[in-house]
Amino acid sequence: MSKRKSNVGISERKETEKAQQSMDELFRALIENSSDIITILDPEGIIRYESPSVERGLGYKPAELIGTNIVERLHPDDVSKVIEAYGAINAQRTPSGTSWIGHFIEARLCHKDGLWRTMECIFNALPRDLLVTGIVINFHDITKRKQADEALRESEEKFRSMVDNVGIGVALISPAMEILDLNRQMRVWFPDIDSSKRLICYRAFNNPPREEICDYCPTCRTLQDGNVHEATTVTPTADGPRNYRTVSSPVFDANRKVTACIEMVDDITERVSLEAQLRQAQKMEAIGTLAGGVAHDFNNILTTIIGYADLMLMTVETDKPLTEEIEEIKLAGERAAALTRQLLAFSRKQIVQPKILDLNKLLTGIEKMLVRLIGEDIEILIIPKSDLWKIEIDPGQMEQVIMNLVVNAKDAMPNGGKLTIETVNMDLGENYFTDHGIVEKHPGSYVVLTVSDTGIGMDKEAQERIFDPFYTTKEKGKGTGLGLSTIYGIVKQNNGFIWVYSEPGQGSTFKVYLPKVKGDVKGEEKERTPVIKLAGFETVLIVEDDDSLRKLTQKSLQPHGYRILVAENGEDALRVSKEHEGPIDLLITDVVMPRIGGKEVAERLQPLYPRMKVIYMSGYTDDSIVHRGVLAPGLNFLEKPFSPEGLARKVREVLDKKKD
């Protein structure tokens, strides 16, 4: 009986040992075939076991690491936390010996190739008799995952940086119209919005808040149909209305379902303003072009009217009643010519021909026009300085300066007021420039034109920008911002400067300083030599496509003894010159003609007649003339309209001038 019991005990023990052996073999197989690295340390941190996977994971054979300290393989920055985890496990002791707490950390281990591998590390105790006799560490390589996470983080940071610095507002909106995220620009525009609170966009973005979706909302349409939509809106702000352009783009999931919408909001206020200014400038350019075309045809007509009036006055006795009537015709033509110059002055297209000028006489000549320009509710007072010095400037430019200043003053007095125009002589020293805050310091003698009004005035900020192109203090649609900048350009071009003083509600004063002409200018005022003394014998070829003007030019020169050849266009001029035997001393040609222009006619005839001189005449504007190369230095130009006497003088002057 006892023997049977003994056999049973031995059998059970063998079965237990066999089962334990199977478990050990299974455990060893699991360890050795695990993709993770299993390391067993003794209480001193010395490696006592390494699973074969260490060769796959770190490049070492197990035998190369056994007997070394785990610290030797750790990244210096991770040593402390590994020692801390190791110490916590090593110090554990439980009453039952069954409850052991593991520790989880991340650490970097050095691969045999010198690169670092990031590992998830699980520390567990290896106990015996309630004491830790060793530590088992499970190393799981997460290097690729960490690299992917880092790449994702860098990508997200880069994307956030791009979105924050793109210069426009960007918002992420949910299908429920909730604000999910905002970029930096949107947070600047809407500093009180917290995107983490998922506020409804049409309530948060509007002031006062709306209780329903905006009528123009492109985001709502994008969320509905998945297409890109845009809208432009005008939003009132503390600094005035702002123009915004909103473009909404969909965000899809894998099933092409719209999960959100990206709103891109651009403040286009400045662009809208510049576009409006460009359109206004284009309109002004079109008006100027129209004025130039009208001036060309009109000047041809005026030349004929004034010219024939002059010819008639030469043949009519001064005591006859007809003389007065002819003089009225001539006077009307001259007034029309002055009107044409003023039209070109407004359009900034006049031909620039500086002349010695008496500013007082010019003011007297345009006084009536200024009165009509400012209206009946503004009183105008002109105070000319006697013995005013002469200045040298193109009369048309000077008229433009005066008229622009007067128009500016008129606009500053919508309810009427007083406009004062004054001229004075001034000798300026450096102190004057310093006292008036004028940057340019050119001491000397100046003629000063002062235009003062009793209008609304300007603040300091407006005064600092008043001469900037396109800057205007006038309400929308009532100013181009070019008037004062044009004045500034003209004054600077003529070696002068301009100064302004103004206070809100106290009116404005503009002072234009133009240098006095140096030397004796009396020679400019000599009486004209009588026409009968402008005789000549040379051969003159007249090329003009306007019949009346061609006939007038011919009649104006024939009494002085010239031999006249006429041609009605460029092609005809080539024919006439070919048929003519003998020299051609002077070519008088219109600049702009069909098919062959005056410049080309001269260039084709010059080799045939090397000594031939040329006078170009035109009623076109300077843009057209410069485009054809006529106003190059040294070329002779006669502006239409001209008188017979003026033509005869110009012809004699050019013929008598030595050829370069």
Side-chain angles (χ1 to χ4, degrees):
M1 186 70 159
S2 59
K3 185 177 180 180
R4 189 184 311 160
K5 288 182 178 179
S6 176
N7 290 335
V8 171
I10 293 172
S11 176
E12 289 177 348
R13 187 169 62 250
K14 288 182 177 179
E15 289 293 329
T16 301
E17 290 175 351
K18 186 177 181 180
Q20 182 64 44
Q21 184 179 0
S22 297
M23 288 296 294
D24 290 346
E25 290 175 353
L26 178 61
F27 181 70
R28 181 175 293 276
L30 287 172
I31 290 177
E32 292 182 351
N33 291 287
S34 173
S35 60
D36 291 348
I37 301 170
I38 309 298
T39 301
I40 298 177
L41 310 177
D42 67 11
E44 303 300 323
I46 304 301
I47 299 172
R48 296 306 178 189
Y49 174 81
E50 281 287 4
S51 64
S53 57
V54 74
E55 186 171 1
R56 294 191 304 271
L58 295 175
Y60 294 98
K61 294 182 182 301
E64 294 180 82
L65 298 177
I66 292 174
T68 64
N69 196 304
I70 185 67
V71 173
E72 297 175 12
R73 297 162 56 196
L74 292 171
H75 191 283
D77 294 341
D78 296 333
V79 170
S80 60
K81 62 181 178 181
V82 171
I83 291 177
E84 182 181 347
Y86 182 86
I89 292 292
N90 202 33
Q92 286 191 69
R93 184 185 183 91
T94 64
S96 64
T98 58
S99 178
W100 300 91
I101 303 172
H103 279 259
F104 174 88
I105 64 170
E106 284 186 10
R108 285 162 288 180
L109 296 180
C110 187
H111 192 280
K112 195 172 184 178
D113 62 9
L115 300 178
W116 296 100
R117 298 290 192 274
T118 304
M119 303 286 183
E120 285 182 342
C121 312
I122 303 175
F123 289 71
N124 283 292
L126 193 63
R128 179 181 291 178
D129 298 332
L130 303 181
L131 294 174
V132 176
T133 59
I135 294 176
V136 180
I137 307 176
N138 187 92
F139 293 104
H140 179 66
D141 194 336
I142 60 171
T143 304
K144 290 184 178 180
R145 191 183 78 193
K146 293 292 289 185
Q147 289 173 342
D149 290 345
E150 181 65 18
L152 179 61
R153 184 189 64 79
E154 290 180 356
S155 177
E156 289 176 345
E157 287 181 354
K158 185 182 294 184
F159 179 75
R160 167 59 68 176
S161 176
M162 289 172 57
V163 171
D164 276 344
N165 293 284
V166 72
I168 63 173
V170 180
L172 185 64
I173 308 298
S174 76
M177 306 299 287
E178 298 168 326
I179 301 173
L180 303 179
D181 200 1
L182 298 173
N183 79 332
R184 182 183 301 158
Q185 183 60 68
M186 290 294 280
R187 292 194 297 273
V188 170
W189 287 339
F190 304 98
D192 298 330
I193 295 180
D194 184 354
S195 57
S196 65
K197 294 181 180 180
R198 299 175 73 97
L199 301 174
I200 303 300
C201 65
Y202 52 81
R203 293 176 185 160
F205 289 153
N206 289 285
N207 187 19
R210 291 176 62 97
E211 292 303 322
E212 55 185 20
I213 295 174
C214 305
D215 299 332
Y216 57 83
C217 180
T219 299
C220 182
R221 287 180 285 164
T222 296
L223 290 170
Q224 290 173 352
D225 60 20
N227 295 321
V228 177
H229 293 281
E230 67 175 84
T232 301
T233 58
V234 180
T235 303
T237 68
D239 299 325
R242 308 292 298 180
N243 299 84
Y244 294 97
R245 176 176 176 261
T246 302
V247 178
S248 297
S249 301
V251 178
F252 297 105
D253 62 11
N255 299 318
R256 295 292 296 174
K257 180 181 177 181
V258 179
T259 59
C261 183
I262 299 175
E263 276 190 354
M264 291 168 284
V265 185
D266 190 9
D267 186 342
I268 59 172
T269 305
E270 299 302 324
R271 190 178 78 188
V272 170
S273 176
L274 288 173
E275 287 174 351
Q277 292 169 3
L278 176 61
R279 286 193 296 271
Q280 184 66 26
Q282 288 172 334
K283 285 193 286 187
M284 288 189 65
E285 184 67 23
I287 292 172
T289 302
L290 175 62
V294 170
H296 173 258
D297 294 335
F298 196 42
N299 278 330
N300 279 349
I301 297 171
L302 292 175
T303 302
T304 303
I305 294 173
I306 296 171
Y308 275 106
D310 274 333
L311 291 177
M312 291 174 68
L313 287 172
M314 294 178 192
T315 59
V316 176
E317 295 295 334
T318 57
D319 59 349
K320 292 184 178 180
L322 187 59
T323 300
E324 185 177 345
E325 296 176 1
I326 296 174
E327 288 178 343
E328 285 295 327
I329 293 173
K330 180 183 176 183
L331 183 60
E334 290 173 344
R335 286 200 300 266
L339 181 61
T340 304
R341 287 196 301 272
Q342 291 159 9
L343 178 64
L344 293 175
F346 271 121
S347 64
R348 308 182 311 283
K349 297 288 185 177
Q350 75 275 23
I351 298 170
V352 178
Q353 293 182 330
K355 297 178 180 178
I356 305 300
L357 187 67
D358 184 330
L359 184 54
N360 285 343
K361 288 184 178 179
L362 186 140
L363 279 171
T364 301
I366 64 172
E367 181 177 359
K368 290 182 179 180
M369 187 188 69
L370 295 179
V371 172
R372 292 194 300 270
L373 186 64
I374 63 175
E376 298 179 354
D377 56 346
I378 296 177
E379 178 188 356
I380 183 170
L381 178 63
I382 298 179
I383 307 175
K385 166 69 175 177
S386 59
D387 299 324
L388 189 69
W389 295 329
K390 300 293 190 299
I391 57 176
E392 186 172 11
I393 189 173
D394 180 271
Q397 282 191 325
M398 194 65 235
E399 289 177 0
Q400 184 176 1
V401 169
I402 296 170
M403 287 187 288
N404 280 2
L405 288 174
V406 169
V407 169
N408 189 70
K410 171 181 176 291
D411 292 339
M413 298 183 287
N415 300 317
K418 185 176 181 179
L419 172 67
T420 304
I421 302 175
E422 186 176 1
T423 59
V424 68
N425 299 324
M426 291 189 72
D427 288 308
L428 306 182
E430 281 201 17
N431 290 339
Y432 183 89
F433 294 87
T434 303
D435 294 343
H436 287 73
I438 300 171
V439 178
E440 304 97 330
K441 293 184 178 180
H442 300 293
S445 300
Y446 291 85
V447 172
V448 184
L449 170 71
T450 303
V451 179
S452 303
D453 64 67
T454 57
I456 57 177
M458 296 174 286
D459 58 23
K460 186 176 181 180
E461 180 183 356
Q463 291 180 57
E464 291 176 350
R465 298 188 57 194
I466 196 67
F467 297 114
D468 292 349
F470 296 112
Y471 177 77
T472 178
T473 58
K474 300 169 187 175
E475 59 185 88
K476 186 177 180 180
K478 292 193 176 180
T480 65
L482 294 173
L484 292 177
S485 63
T486 300
I487 292 174
Y488 183 83
I490 291 173
V491 172
K492 292 287 289 182
Q493 181 185 4
N494 289 277
N495 302 314
F497 58 94
I498 187 168
W499 178 80
V500 59
Y501 176 78
S502 182
E503 291 185 10
Q506 300 300 315
S508 302
T509 296
F510 288 83
K511 290 191 174 185
V512 176
Y513 299 77
L514 293 169
K516 169 190 175 184
V517 174
K518 296 180 181 179
D520 183 14
V521 298
K522 293 181 180 179
E524 297 290 335
E525 301 174 359
K526 293 179 182 178
E527 292 185 2
R528 293 183 175 182
T529 306
V531 176
I532 57 173
K533 295 182 180 180
L534 300 177
F537 57 85
E538 293 88 350
T539 300
V540 179
L541 172 59
I542 300 170
V543 186
E544 170 60 63
D545 59 333
D546 185 283
D547 292 340
S548 299
L549 191 52
R550 186 172 63 253
K551 292 176 182 177
L552 172 65
T553 306
Q554 182 179 0
K555 287 186 177 182
S556 298
L557 294 179
Q558 277 180 336
H560 302 299
Y562 298 104
R563 182 180 181 184
I564 306 298
L565 303 176
V566 293
E568 60 185 24
N569 52 49
E571 292 179 337
D572 192 33
L574 300 177
R575 179 191 62 78
V576 169
S577 64
K578 187 176 181 180
E579 295 176 354
H580 171 67
E581 294 182 2
I584 295 179
D585 301 290
L586 177 66
L587 169 66
I588 303 176
T589 179
D590 193 8
V591 175
V592 182
M593 295 182 294
R595 304 182 69 175
I596 299 179
K599 181 68 173 175
E600 185 179 350
V601 171
E603 290 173 347
R604 292 174 68 170
L605 291 181
Q606 205 78 59
L608 303 176
Y609 307 98
R611 301 182 63 83
M612 180 185 74
K613 298 179 180 179
V614 184
I615 295 176
Y616 297 99
M617 57 182 180
S618 180
Y620 260 118
T621 62
D622 63 336
D623 278 359
S624 299
I625 303 302
V626 170
H627 179 69
R628 291 166 176 82
V630 174
L631 288 184
L635 296 182
N636 304 302
F637 182 78
L638 182 62
E639 181 184 356
K640 299 175 184 176
F642 51 79
S643 66
E645 182 183 353
L647 172 63
R649 284 188 170 280
K650 188 70 174 180
V651 167
R652 193 67 262 158
E653 172 190 328
V654 172
L655 286 171
D656 291 340
K657 186 167 59 175
K658 292 183 179 179
K659 192 174 181 66
D660 296 332

